[in-house]
Amino acid sequence: MNIKTIGVLTSGGDAPGMNAAVRAVVRTGIFNGLNVLGIKKGYHGLVHGDITEMSLSSVADIIHRGGTTLQTARSKEFMTEEGQRKALNIMEVFGIEGLIVVGGDGSFKGAVELARKGARVIGVPGTIDNDIPFTDYTIGFDTAVNTVVDAIGRIRDTTSSHNRANIIEVMGRNSGCIALHAGLAGGAESIIIPEVRYDIDEVCKRIMQGRNRGKLHSIIVLAEGVGGAFEMARTIEEKINVETRVTILGHVQRGGSPTAFDRIMASRLGARAVELLMEGQTTKMVGFYNNKVHEVDLEKVLAAKKKFPSEMYALAKILSI
Ligand code: F6P
C-alpha cells in the first residue's frame, strides 16, 4: 500500500526500551521514504495535536535511554467518545494514515477503538508488566527484572548481616511475572504472586527451614497485585519471631538504561510495525514469540489472557527449599 505519513506514540506507564522502539519506527519509516510524526504524551498529544515531524537525528542518542523521549500519559479524555473523535480528526488534519502505539493493554484498547472508527493502527507491546498475551516478552520487562535482581542482591547483603527476613514488593499490576522471574533469578525463598494462592504458614516454614540449616537471610518477593507487605511482615514476626523488613521497590523498576535484550527486541518490533503499515495491514500487534517476530490480531490480544508459566513457579519452589 502506498502510504506517506505515519505517526508514533508511547502510552501508559513508560518502559525501558520504548525509545529504542520509537527510534526503529522513525528510522525504518524514513528509510522507506515515509514521513514520520512523533506524537507527544500518548493519546493526550493525539487529542490536542501535540505532534512533531521526526528526523533521523530526532531519535539519535536515545537507544540507551530509559523512559520515553516522546513522553507518555494515561489520557482520561481519550477514553471518551468525544476524545476519540478529536483524535481521529487530528489524524486527518496531520495526514496520519497509520498509527503505531507503543504501550500496554490499556493503550491497545484505545488503538482498537480508533481502528473501529476507521484508523489504521499497529500495537507494539511496551510495559514492564509482561502481561500481554501472544508475545513472550514485552518491551521493558527484561530491564525491570534485572533491576529487581540487582536490588535483591543488595538487600540480601544487609539482610544477611542482620540475620533478618526481607519482603521485597515488586510491580506488575495484576501480573506476577516480574516477581516470578526476579524471584527465580534472585533465589528468593518465597515468591508470592496473584496467580497462586499462598499460605503464610508455608512462608514461615520456608524461613525456618533456611535458618535451621544456617542461612543468614530470607528473601520473600511479593507482587504488588497481592500487596499487604507490612501486615505480612508483622505476621511473620509474630509467628516465628524473625525480624522482618519491607522494601517496596516502586518506580525504580521503571527507569534505567534498557538491557541489550530489550533494545534488540524493541528495534525488531518497531521496524516490523512500520512494515505492516506499508503492507496495508491494520489492527495488529507485533509480538516476539518463540524467538521470532510475528503479528497477531489486536482484538484477539485483548480478548486473551497470558498463560501463567506454572512450571517455572514450580521450579522456583523446588530450587529454594
Ligand atoms: O503498568 C506498569 C506499572 O508500572 C505497573 O506495574 C504499576 O502497577 C503501575 O504501572 C504504576 O502506575 P503509575 O506509574 O501511574 O503509578
Side-chain angles (χ1 to χ4, degrees):
M1 203 180 131
N2 221 352
I3 55 167
K4 284 198 198 70
T5 304
I6 62 169
V8 58
L9 60 81
T10 52
S11 166
D14 62 351
M18 278 184 164
N19 282 328
V22 171
R23 173 179 177 270
V25 168
V26 171
R27 295 213 165 149
T28 307
I30 293 175
F31 176 80
N32 286 287
L34 303 178
N35 300 322
V36 186
L37 302 181
I39 298 146
K40 306 283 281 193
K41 296 194 176 136
Y43 291 115
H44 177 86
L46 195 59
V47 172
H48 295 280
D50 191 357
I51 295 174
T52 47
E53 170 111 34
M54 304 296 274
S55 66
L56 292 176
S57 57
S58 42
V59 289
D61 206 24
I62 66 167
I63 194 167
H64 60 295
R65 286 186 207 279
T68 160
T69 52
L70 281 181
Q71 294 195 278
T72 184
R74 302 190 203 273
S75 168
K76 286 210 171 69
E77 199 180 354
F78 179 74
M79 301 297 177
T80 65
E81 186 73 17
E82 200 200 329
Q84 288 160 17
R85 292 271 161 221
K86 277 191 189 169
L88 281 169
N89 181 50
I90 291 286
M91 282 180 75
E92 210 175 305
V93 170
F94 282 81
I96 300 172
E97 294 154 293
L99 177 68
I100 295 174
V101 173
V102 185
D105 56 354
S107 312
F108 289 172
K109 275 185 197 129
V112 164
E113 287 307 323
L114 286 180
R116 284 186 183 144
K117 293 178 172 66
R120 295 190 161 273
V121 297
I122 302 291
V124 176
T127 162
I128 62 164
D129 299 340
N130 202 26
D131 57 351
I132 307 280
F134 301 106
T135 188
D136 291 336
Y137 301 106
T138 54
I139 296 167
F141 171 71
D142 185 62
T143 307
V145 168
N146 276 287
T147 302
V148 175
V149 170
D150 177 66
I152 291 175
R154 291 164 192 267
I155 292 165
R156 188 199 295 265
D157 290 344
T158 166
T159 305
S160 299
S161 307
H162 290 266
N163 212 350
R164 286 171 172 159
N166 205 305
I167 300 172
I168 304 171
E169 188 193 286
V170 302
M171 277 188 170
R173 210 178 284 273
N174 301 316
S175 160
C177 223
I178 295 178
L180 178 54
H181 282 70
L184 177 58
E189 273 79 14
S190 291
I191 300 170
I192 304 177
I193 53 179
E195 292 87 345
V196 183
R197 271 170 62 94
Y198 81 97
D199 173 5
I200 192 68
D201 290 323
E202 198 196 325
V203 174
C204 291
K205 198 174 104 198
R206 284 177 162 266
I207 294 173
M208 289 317 294
Q209 269 171 358
R211 289 171 95 82
N212 290 340
R213 53 167 228 272
K215 239 182 167 180
L216 299 176
H217 57 262
S218 301
I219 300 292
I220 298 143
V221 176
L222 170 71
E224 68 171 348
V226 176
F230 289 98
E231 201 193 318
M232 191 180 293
R234 258 198 315 276
T235 310
I236 292 170
E237 289 188 342
E238 274 164 25
K239 280 187 181 271
I240 54 175
N241 198 27
V242 171
E243 204 180 3
T244 305
R245 292 288 192 262
V246 170
T247 309
I248 296 183
L249 289 180
H251 286 82
V252 72
Q253 296 160 93
R254 285 249 295 269
S257 183
T259 58
F261 181 85
D262 271 330
R263 296 181 201 191
I264 293 166
M265 187 177 70
S267 300
R268 294 178 69 185
L269 296 184
R272 183 66 189 135
V274 176
E275 285 169 11
L276 288 180
L277 285 177
M278 291 194 311
E279 287 167 14
Q281 302 219 45
T282 180
T283 333
K284 296 275 186 310
M285 180 191 83
V286 286
F288 197 63
Y289 218 37
N290 293 334
N291 229 5
K292 279 197 185 71
V293 176
H294 79 146
E295 57 265 5
V296 54
D297 248 31
L298 206 44
E299 305 228 25
K300 199 169 152 189
V301 172
L302 289 181
K305 207 173 170 328
K306 194 166 186 128
K307 196 175 164 289
F308 174 67
S310 40
E311 71 298 334
M312 194 191 281
Y313 180 78
L315 176 67
K317 249 183 146 168
I318 292 170
L319 299 186
S320 63
I321 46 171

